mmCIF file of all heavy atoms in Angstrom:
data_model
loop_
_atom_site.group_PDB
_atom_site.id
_atom_site.type_symbol
_atom_site.label_atom_id
_atom_site.label_comp_id
_atom_site.label_asym_id
_atom_site.label_seq_id
_atom_site.Cartn_x
_atom_site.Cartn_y
_atom_site.Cartn_z
ATOM 1 N N PRO A 1 105.394 94.062 73.680
ATOM 2 C CA PRO A 1 105.623 92.758 73.019
ATOM 3 C C PRO A 1 105.088 91.575 73.782
ATOM 4 O O PRO A 1 104.877 90.507 73.199
ATOM 5 C CB PRO A 1 107.163 92.688 72.839
ATOM 6 C CG PRO A 1 107.664 93.624 73.891
ATOM 7 C CD PRO A 1 106.665 94.752 74.008
ATOM 8 N N GLY A 2 104.812 91.721 75.083
ATOM 9 C CA GLY A 2 104.286 90.576 75.816
ATOM 10 C C GLY A 2 102.809 90.299 75.563
ATOM 11 O O GLY A 2 102.292 89.301 75.972
ATOM 12 N N ALA A 3 102.138 91.250 74.876
ATOM 13 C CA ALA A 3 100.715 91.068 74.571
ATOM 14 C C ALA A 3 100.516 90.693 73.146
ATOM 15 O O ALA A 3 101.176 91.195 72.241
ATOM 16 C CB ALA A 3 99.981 92.376 74.891
ATOM 17 N N PHE A 4 99.519 89.819 72.870
ATOM 18 C CA PHE A 4 99.212 89.457 71.458
ATOM 19 C C PHE A 4 98.176 90.451 70.895
ATOM 20 O O PHE A 4 97.993 90.534 69.682
ATOM 21 C CB PHE A 4 98.741 88.032 71.330
ATOM 22 C CG PHE A 4 97.428 87.736 72.028
ATOM 23 C CD1 PHE A 4 96.207 88.034 71.405
ATOM 24 C CD2 PHE A 4 97.412 87.078 73.264
ATOM 25 C CE1 PHE A 4 95.017 87.747 72.046
ATOM 26 C CE2 PHE A 4 96.231 86.817 73.899
ATOM 27 C CZ PHE A 4 95.006 87.132 73.285
ATOM 28 N N GLU A 5 97.480 91.148 71.776
ATOM 29 C CA GLU A 5 96.448 92.157 71.330
ATOM 30 C C GLU A 5 96.513 93.346 72.237
ATOM 31 O O GLU A 5 96.713 93.174 73.456
ATOM 32 C CB GLU A 5 95.084 91.518 71.296
ATOM 33 C CG GLU A 5 94.052 92.318 70.536
ATOM 34 C CD GLU A 5 94.367 92.401 69.063
ATOM 35 O OE1 GLU A 5 93.978 91.450 68.359
ATOM 36 O OE2 GLU A 5 94.971 93.380 68.637
ATOM 37 N N ILE A 6 96.357 94.502 71.660
ATOM 38 C CA ILE A 6 96.257 95.697 72.521
ATOM 39 C C ILE A 6 95.433 96.744 71.765
ATOM 40 O O ILE A 6 95.602 96.948 70.597
ATOM 41 C CB ILE A 6 97.698 96.227 72.857
ATOM 42 C CG1 ILE A 6 97.566 97.428 73.784
ATOM 43 C CG2 ILE A 6 98.455 96.556 71.625
ATOM 44 C CD1 ILE A 6 98.916 97.726 74.441
ATOM 45 N N LYS A 7 94.562 97.454 72.495
ATOM 46 C CA LYS A 7 93.691 98.446 71.941
ATOM 47 C C LYS A 7 93.478 99.528 72.985
ATOM 48 O O LYS A 7 93.178 99.243 74.156
ATOM 49 C CB LYS A 7 92.360 97.837 71.496
ATOM 50 C CG LYS A 7 91.414 98.816 70.897
ATOM 51 C CD LYS A 7 91.943 99.367 69.534
ATOM 52 C CE LYS A 7 90.890 100.280 68.905
ATOM 53 N NZ LYS A 7 91.404 100.832 67.645
ATOM 54 N N ALA A 8 93.705 100.793 72.508
ATOM 55 C CA ALA A 8 93.489 101.942 73.454
ATOM 56 C C ALA A 8 92.080 102.465 73.380
ATOM 57 O O ALA A 8 91.488 102.522 72.299
ATOM 58 C CB ALA A 8 94.486 103.014 73.111
ATOM 59 N N PHE A 9 91.554 102.803 74.536
ATOM 60 C CA PHE A 9 90.177 103.426 74.631
ATOM 61 C C PHE A 9 90.252 104.646 75.519
ATOM 62 O O PHE A 9 91.263 104.931 76.171
ATOM 63 C CB PHE A 9 89.206 102.408 75.228
ATOM 64 C CG PHE A 9 88.915 101.238 74.329
ATOM 65 C CD1 PHE A 9 89.447 99.967 74.632
ATOM 66 C CD2 PHE A 9 88.088 101.346 73.197
ATOM 67 C CE1 PHE A 9 89.161 98.903 73.810
ATOM 68 C CE2 PHE A 9 87.841 100.289 72.403
ATOM 69 C CZ PHE A 9 88.387 99.043 72.711
ATOM 70 N N ALA A 10 89.143 105.409 75.522
ATOM 71 C CA ALA A 10 88.967 106.547 76.417
ATOM 72 C C ALA A 10 90.164 107.502 76.221
ATOM 73 O O ALA A 10 90.859 107.839 77.183
ATOM 74 C CB ALA A 10 88.834 106.120 77.851
ATOM 75 N N ASP A 11 90.332 107.927 74.956
ATOM 76 C CA ASP A 11 91.424 108.882 74.618
ATOM 77 C C ASP A 11 92.819 108.373 75.064
ATOM 78 O O ASP A 11 93.688 109.167 75.433
ATOM 79 C CB ASP A 11 91.141 110.220 75.308
ATOM 80 C CG ASP A 11 89.780 110.802 74.814
ATOM 81 O OD1 ASP A 11 89.450 110.670 73.646
ATOM 82 O OD2 ASP A 11 89.059 111.354 75.705
ATOM 83 N N GLY A 12 93.024 107.062 75.029
ATOM 84 C CA GLY A 12 94.297 106.469 75.314
ATOM 85 C C GLY A 12 94.563 106.214 76.766
ATOM 86 O O GLY A 12 95.598 105.637 77.123
ATOM 87 N N LEU A 13 93.626 106.553 77.678
ATOM 88 C CA LEU A 13 93.876 106.402 79.087
ATOM 89 C C LEU A 13 93.736 104.921 79.505
ATOM 90 O O LEU A 13 94.325 104.469 80.477
ATOM 91 C CB LEU A 13 92.878 107.212 79.882
ATOM 92 C CG LEU A 13 93.024 108.731 79.783
ATOM 93 C CD1 LEU A 13 91.859 109.485 80.483
ATOM 94 C CD2 LEU A 13 94.372 109.193 80.289
ATOM 95 N N VAL A 14 92.849 104.172 78.807
ATOM 96 C CA VAL A 14 92.571 102.742 79.130
ATOM 97 C C VAL A 14 93.057 101.879 78.008
ATOM 98 O O VAL A 14 92.795 102.185 76.838
ATOM 99 C CB VAL A 14 91.069 102.515 79.370
ATOM 100 C CG1 VAL A 14 90.782 101.076 79.629
ATOM 101 C CG2 VAL A 14 90.601 103.342 80.534
ATOM 102 N N TRP A 15 93.766 100.800 78.367
ATOM 103 C CA TRP A 15 94.166 99.817 77.405
ATOM 104 C C TRP A 15 93.448 98.495 77.634
ATOM 105 O O TRP A 15 93.376 98.036 78.808
ATOM 106 C CB TRP A 15 95.679 99.570 77.448
ATOM 107 C CG TRP A 15 96.486 100.650 76.780
ATOM 108 C CD1 TRP A 15 96.019 101.867 76.278
ATOM 109 C CD2 TRP A 15 97.904 100.642 76.490
ATOM 110 N NE1 TRP A 15 97.070 102.574 75.742
ATOM 111 C CE2 TRP A 15 98.203 101.850 75.863
ATOM 112 C CE3 TRP A 15 98.883 99.736 76.740
ATOM 113 C CZ2 TRP A 15 99.483 102.193 75.446
ATOM 114 C CZ3 TRP A 15 100.180 100.032 76.370
ATOM 115 C CH2 TRP A 15 100.475 101.266 75.710
ATOM 116 N N ALA A 16 93.009 97.880 76.577
ATOM 117 C CA ALA A 16 92.535 96.527 76.642
ATOM 118 C C ALA A 16 93.629 95.637 76.049
ATOM 119 O O ALA A 16 94.129 95.910 74.967
ATOM 120 C CB ALA A 16 91.242 96.356 75.842
ATOM 121 N N VAL A 17 94.040 94.583 76.798
ATOM 122 C CA VAL A 17 95.200 93.798 76.422
ATOM 123 C C VAL A 17 94.892 92.334 76.384
ATOM 124 O O VAL A 17 94.171 91.819 77.249
ATOM 125 C CB VAL A 17 96.345 94.095 77.462
ATOM 126 C CG1 VAL A 17 97.604 93.336 77.086
ATOM 127 C CG2 VAL A 17 96.635 95.576 77.572
ATOM 128 N N GLY A 18 95.442 91.679 75.398
ATOM 129 C CA GLY A 18 95.292 90.187 75.281
ATOM 130 C C GLY A 18 96.616 89.546 75.618
ATOM 131 O O GLY A 18 97.668 89.905 75.030
ATOM 132 N N VAL A 19 96.621 88.548 76.495
ATOM 133 C CA VAL A 19 97.855 87.919 76.930
ATOM 134 C C VAL A 19 97.614 86.385 76.965
ATOM 135 O O VAL A 19 96.538 85.953 77.403
ATOM 136 C CB VAL A 19 98.310 88.332 78.325
ATOM 137 C CG1 VAL A 19 99.628 87.722 78.694
ATOM 138 C CG2 VAL A 19 98.453 89.861 78.352
ATOM 139 N N ARG A 20 98.601 85.625 76.571
ATOM 140 C CA ARG A 20 98.531 84.123 76.636
ATOM 141 C C ARG A 20 99.166 83.690 77.963
ATOM 142 O O ARG A 20 100.269 84.131 78.283
ATOM 143 C CB ARG A 20 99.229 83.507 75.434
ATOM 144 C CG ARG A 20 98.983 81.968 75.354
ATOM 145 C CD ARG A 20 99.545 81.429 74.061
ATOM 146 N NE ARG A 20 99.328 79.995 73.940
ATOM 147 C CZ ARG A 20 98.223 79.474 73.475
ATOM 148 N NH1 ARG A 20 97.224 80.228 73.128
ATOM 149 N NH2 ARG A 20 98.117 78.145 73.357
ATOM 150 N N MET A 21 98.473 82.822 78.666
ATOM 151 C CA MET A 21 98.948 82.337 79.915
ATOM 152 C C MET A 21 99.977 81.230 79.748
ATOM 153 O O MET A 21 99.710 80.151 79.182
ATOM 154 C CB MET A 21 97.812 81.735 80.789
ATOM 155 C CG MET A 21 96.737 82.810 81.161
ATOM 156 S SD MET A 21 97.328 83.989 82.385
ATOM 157 C CE MET A 21 97.872 85.358 81.335
ATOM 158 N N ALA A 22 101.213 81.500 80.205
ATOM 159 C CA ALA A 22 102.278 80.533 80.122
ATOM 160 C C ALA A 22 102.215 79.515 81.231
ATOM 161 O O ALA A 22 101.505 79.744 82.241
ATOM 162 C CB ALA A 22 103.666 81.225 80.112
ATOM 163 N N ASP A 23 102.955 78.445 81.125
ATOM 164 C CA ASP A 23 102.905 77.393 82.179
ATOM 165 C C ASP A 23 103.327 77.870 83.493
ATOM 166 O O ASP A 23 102.919 77.347 84.546
ATOM 167 C CB ASP A 23 103.776 76.186 81.705
ATOM 168 C CG ASP A 23 103.269 75.508 80.483
ATOM 169 O OD1 ASP A 23 102.038 75.572 80.264
ATOM 170 O OD2 ASP A 23 104.085 74.849 79.760
ATOM 171 N N ASP A 24 104.280 78.868 83.547
ATOM 172 C CA ASP A 24 104.818 79.334 84.804
ATOM 173 C C ASP A 24 104.138 80.592 85.309
ATOM 174 O O ASP A 24 104.607 81.247 86.203
ATOM 175 C CB ASP A 24 106.299 79.585 84.683
ATOM 176 C CG ASP A 24 106.633 80.585 83.579
ATOM 177 O OD1 ASP A 24 105.688 80.995 82.842
ATOM 178 O OD2 ASP A 24 107.844 80.994 83.488
ATOM 179 N N CYS A 25 102.981 80.952 84.721
ATOM 180 C CA CYS A 25 102.246 82.172 85.167
ATOM 181 C C CYS A 25 101.824 81.969 86.601
ATOM 182 O O CYS A 25 101.126 80.999 86.947
ATOM 183 C CB CYS A 25 101.077 82.441 84.290
ATOM 184 S SG CYS A 25 100.105 83.877 84.788
ATOM 185 N N PRO A 26 102.163 82.949 87.541
ATOM 186 C CA PRO A 26 101.846 82.739 88.958
ATOM 187 C C PRO A 26 100.382 82.780 89.319
ATOM 188 O O PRO A 26 100.032 82.378 90.425
ATOM 189 C CB PRO A 26 102.621 83.885 89.621
ATOM 190 C CG PRO A 26 102.717 84.949 88.531
ATOM 191 C CD PRO A 26 102.872 84.171 87.250
ATOM 192 N N VAL A 27 99.487 83.296 88.445
ATOM 193 C CA VAL A 27 98.101 83.346 88.836
ATOM 194 C C VAL A 27 97.284 82.133 88.362
ATOM 195 O O VAL A 27 96.068 82.123 88.585
ATOM 196 C CB VAL A 27 97.463 84.646 88.236
ATOM 197 C CG1 VAL A 27 98.210 85.924 88.728
ATOM 198 C CG2 VAL A 27 97.373 84.589 86.715
ATOM 199 N N LEU A 28 97.930 81.154 87.771
ATOM 200 C CA LEU A 28 97.188 79.969 87.346
ATOM 201 C C LEU A 28 96.621 79.208 88.532
ATOM 202 O O LEU A 28 97.162 79.205 89.636
ATOM 203 C CB LEU A 28 98.154 79.039 86.549
ATOM 204 C CG LEU A 28 98.734 79.563 85.236
ATOM 205 C CD1 LEU A 28 99.534 78.483 84.559
ATOM 206 C CD2 LEU A 28 97.648 80.078 84.332
ATOM 207 N N ASN A 29 95.522 78.532 88.248
ATOM 208 C CA ASN A 29 94.886 77.656 89.218
ATOM 209 C C ASN A 29 94.514 78.341 90.526
ATOM 210 O O ASN A 29 94.519 77.747 91.614
ATOM 211 C CB ASN A 29 95.764 76.417 89.510
ATOM 212 C CG ASN A 29 96.125 75.702 88.231
ATOM 213 O OD1 ASN A 29 95.275 75.442 87.390
ATOM 214 N ND2 ASN A 29 97.415 75.394 88.087
ATOM 215 N N THR A 30 94.169 79.616 90.422
ATOM 216 C CA THR A 30 93.728 80.422 91.569
ATOM 217 C C THR A 30 92.404 81.055 91.240
ATOM 218 O O THR A 30 92.274 81.695 90.190
ATOM 219 C CB THR A 30 94.749 81.543 91.885
ATOM 220 O OG1 THR A 30 96.046 80.973 92.148
ATOM 221 C CG2 THR A 30 94.273 82.350 93.098
ATOM 222 N N PRO A 31 91.346 80.853 92.073
ATOM 223 C CA PRO A 31 90.084 81.524 91.766
ATOM 224 C C PRO A 31 90.279 83.007 91.609
ATOM 225 O O PRO A 31 91.001 83.645 92.351
ATOM 226 C CB PRO A 31 89.246 81.200 93.012
ATOM 227 C CG PRO A 31 89.836 79.949 93.510
ATOM 228 C CD PRO A 31 91.294 80.047 93.269
ATOM 229 N N LEU A 32 89.655 83.612 90.574
ATOM 230 C CA LEU A 32 89.874 85.021 90.270
ATOM 231 C C LEU A 32 89.538 85.910 91.397
ATOM 232 O O LEU A 32 90.102 86.993 91.584
ATOM 233 C CB LEU A 32 89.046 85.399 89.032
ATOM 234 C CG LEU A 32 89.467 84.700 87.740
ATOM 235 C CD1 LEU A 32 88.557 85.202 86.577
ATOM 236 C CD2 LEU A 32 90.907 85.020 87.381
ATOM 237 N N LYS A 33 88.589 85.503 92.307
ATOM 238 C CA LYS A 33 88.231 86.340 93.411
ATOM 239 C C LYS A 33 89.335 86.506 94.442
ATOM 240 O O LYS A 33 89.340 87.453 95.258
ATOM 241 C CB LYS A 33 87.013 85.780 94.107
ATOM 242 C CG LYS A 33 87.172 84.423 94.679
ATOM 243 C CD LYS A 33 85.840 83.862 95.241
ATOM 244 C CE LYS A 33 85.973 82.426 95.761
ATOM 245 N NZ LYS A 33 84.661 81.898 96.228
ATOM 246 N N HIS A 34 90.351 85.614 94.369
ATOM 247 C CA HIS A 34 91.503 85.709 95.298
ATOM 248 C C HIS A 34 92.725 86.323 94.670
ATOM 249 O O HIS A 34 93.678 86.588 95.376
ATOM 250 C CB HIS A 34 91.878 84.300 95.800
ATOM 251 C CG HIS A 34 90.772 83.623 96.553
ATOM 252 N ND1 HIS A 34 90.091 84.276 97.519
ATOM 253 C CD2 HIS A 34 90.339 82.316 96.525
ATOM 254 C CE1 HIS A 34 89.188 83.442 98.079
ATOM 255 N NE2 HIS A 34 89.330 82.251 97.487
ATOM 256 N N VAL A 35 92.717 86.536 93.351
ATOM 257 C CA VAL A 35 93.892 87.069 92.679
ATOM 258 C C VAL A 35 94.275 88.450 93.175
ATOM 259 O O VAL A 35 95.460 88.717 93.414
ATOM 260 C CB VAL A 35 93.665 87.071 91.129
ATOM 261 C CG1 VAL A 35 94.779 87.852 90.440
ATOM 262 C CG2 VAL A 35 93.627 85.615 90.599
ATOM 263 N N ALA A 36 93.334 89.307 93.341
ATOM 264 C CA ALA A 36 93.638 90.675 93.812
ATOM 265 C C ALA A 36 94.257 90.666 95.191
ATOM 266 O O ALA A 36 95.151 91.500 95.469
ATOM 267 C CB ALA A 36 92.352 91.505 93.793
ATOM 268 N N GLU A 37 93.820 89.732 96.042
ATOM 269 C CA GLU A 37 94.398 89.637 97.412
ATOM 270 C C GLU A 37 95.841 89.139 97.356
ATOM 271 O O GLU A 37 96.704 89.687 98.062
ATOM 272 C CB GLU A 37 93.572 88.717 98.261
ATOM 273 C CG GLU A 37 92.103 89.085 98.418
ATOM 274 C CD GLU A 37 91.286 87.968 99.058
ATOM 275 O OE1 GLU A 37 91.897 87.039 99.609
ATOM 276 O OE2 GLU A 37 90.028 88.064 99.012
ATOM 277 N N LEU A 38 96.102 88.189 96.502
ATOM 278 C CA LEU A 38 97.413 87.597 96.439
ATOM 279 C C LEU A 38 98.426 88.491 95.638
ATOM 280 O O LEU A 38 99.635 88.459 95.903
ATOM 281 C CB LEU A 38 97.355 86.189 95.753
ATOM 282 C CG LEU A 38 96.533 85.156 96.518
ATOM 283 C CD1 LEU A 38 96.387 83.904 95.654
ATOM 284 C CD2 LEU A 38 97.273 84.807 97.792
ATOM 285 N N PHE A 39 97.876 89.260 94.684
ATOM 286 C CA PHE A 39 98.733 90.102 93.839
ATOM 287 C C PHE A 39 98.151 91.554 93.823
ATOM 288 O O PHE A 39 97.585 91.930 92.828
ATOM 289 C CB PHE A 39 98.843 89.557 92.401
ATOM 290 C CG PHE A 39 99.350 88.123 92.354
ATOM 291 C CD1 PHE A 39 98.433 87.049 92.349
ATOM 292 C CD2 PHE A 39 100.725 87.869 92.309
ATOM 293 C CE1 PHE A 39 98.924 85.730 92.294
ATOM 294 C CE2 PHE A 39 101.203 86.571 92.261
ATOM 295 C CZ PHE A 39 100.280 85.506 92.256
ATOM 296 N N PRO A 40 98.336 92.278 94.955
ATOM 297 C CA PRO A 40 97.703 93.643 95.015
ATOM 298 C C PRO A 40 98.233 94.592 93.936
ATOM 299 O O PRO A 40 97.554 95.567 93.631
ATOM 300 C CB PRO A 40 98.055 94.060 96.430
ATOM 301 C CG PRO A 40 99.203 93.230 96.854
ATOM 302 C CD PRO A 40 99.029 91.900 96.177
ATOM 303 N N GLU A 41 99.417 94.345 93.405
ATOM 304 C CA GLU A 41 99.945 95.229 92.382
ATOM 305 C C GLU A 41 99.356 94.967 90.990
ATOM 306 O O GLU A 41 99.611 95.681 90.066
ATOM 307 C CB GLU A 41 101.472 95.087 92.315
ATOM 308 C CG GLU A 41 102.200 95.699 93.506
ATOM 309 C CD GLU A 41 103.715 95.643 93.249
ATOM 310 O OE1 GLU A 41 104.279 96.559 92.603
ATOM 311 O OE2 GLU A 41 104.352 94.697 93.734
ATOM 312 N N LEU A 42 98.607 93.841 90.871
ATOM 313 C CA LEU A 42 98.036 93.486 89.609
ATOM 314 C C LEU A 42 96.723 94.221 89.430
ATOM 315 O O LEU A 42 95.624 93.680 89.688
ATOM 316 C CB LEU A 42 97.809 91.970 89.520
ATOM 317 C CG LEU A 42 97.330 91.399 88.203
ATOM 318 C CD1 LEU A 42 98.345 91.634 87.135
ATOM 319 C CD2 LEU A 42 97.083 89.892 88.342
ATOM 320 N N GLU A 43 96.791 95.465 89.012
ATOM 321 C CA GLU A 43 95.652 96.313 88.943
ATOM 322 C C GLU A 43 94.969 96.225 87.560
ATOM 323 O O GLU A 43 95.178 97.108 86.683
ATOM 324 C CB GLU A 43 96.040 97.793 89.255
ATOM 325 C CG GLU A 43 96.648 97.928 90.607
ATOM 326 C CD GLU A 43 97.048 99.367 90.949
ATOM 327 O OE1 GLU A 43 96.191 100.238 90.955
ATOM 328 O OE2 GLU A 43 98.245 99.574 91.135
#
């Protein structure tokens, strides 16, 4: 329910997901190249 769009690919192993960024989203205003370092669990 947190996604506005979702589609399964590769026999269901991979999901493509659409999400709207809320005002309190912790990854806002961070260059994408640093997101993986700051949030290693965000795979």
Side-chain angles (χ1 to χ4, degrees):
F4 65 82
E5 193 66 85
I6 183 165
K7 180 67 177 176
F9 292 106
D11 302 320
L13 295 174
V14 175
W15 282 9
V17 182
V19 183
R20 188 172 182 83
M21 296 290 94
D23 293 336
D24 58 352
C25 178
V27 303
L28 296 183
N29 305 316
T30 301
L32 293 180
K33 61 185 176 185
H34 297 316
V35 168
E37 301 169 12
L38 296 172
F39 303 93
E41 289 186 84
L42 187 62
E43 299 179 63

